Amino acid sequence: MCYDKRKGGGNLKFGIICVSDRCFRGECEDRSGPAIAQCVAPLSTENAYRLVPDEKEQISAAIAELADDFGADVIFTTGGTGFAPRDVTPEATKAVIDREAPGIAEAIRAQSLAITNKAMLSRAVSGLRGKTLIVNLPGSPKAVKESIEVVIDVLPHAVETMSGNTQNCGGNYGK
């Protein structure tokens, strides 16, 4: 289980983008996208899913569409964050975000390093496009679940502050 601390239901819209040439060509089944959906289910009112090849323009277009047209609060990408020549998800993400949110990717990498030293090979980024948070995740279902567990508790607060509600930020509780 990825999330069991929230009381009550969720009210966030999630975009899920699987970046994989092989899945896009039908050579294998995406298991990471469904893992994301399972992890965010307690927080989710609606999910939208896209499957794209490792092509920068198509990844960027999927992110923009889910942020701008679907109105996702959070978009998780899975795949394309490593060192392989076709791993371009971080570049595609940077092309469409307004501001980076490096603490999220850093926290995921730090936690992942406690599990495997290969985590240092991740080039994943996170950032904001308007009122949407975009988070790059690794391509394996196991790593997806481990990564989401790092950030799931802060997502409601992140979305709240992105919408402009900063009343509960920086120790302003109860003021």
Side-chain angles (χ1 to χ4, degrees), residues 23 53 65 88 101-102 106 124 129 143 153 165:
C23 291
E65 185 257 325
V88 295
E106 291 166 4
R129 179 181 176 92
D153 288 336
N165 183 356

Side-chain angles (χ1 to χ4, degrees), residues 82-105:
F83 283 13
R86 290 191 50 78
D87 287 344
V88 295
T89 302
E91 290 75 19
T93 302
K94 287 180 180 181
V96 295
I97 60 173
D98 303 317
R99 299 181 288 160
E100 287 194 44
I104 293 171

Side-chain angles (χ1 to χ4, degrees), residues 78-126:
T78 176
T81 61
F83 283 13
R86 290 191 50 78
D87 287 344
V88 295
T89 302
E91 290 75 19
T93 302
K94 287 180 180 181
V96 295
I97 60 173
D98 303 317
R99 299 181 288 160
E100 287 194 44
I104 293 171
E106 291 166 4
I108 291 170
R109 263 189 292 278
Q111 183 64 33
S112 297
L113 275 168
I115 299 166
T116 176
N117 63 354
K118 291 179 183 163
M120 69 178 79
L121 303 178
S122 171
R123 298 181 316 105
V125 298
S126 298

Side-chain angles (χ1 to χ4, degrees), residues 8 39 49 53 73 79-80 94 101 126 131 144 162:
C39 287
Y49 174 82
D73 296 303
K94 287 180 180 181
S126 298
K131 295 180 179 180
V144 158
M162 284 187 304

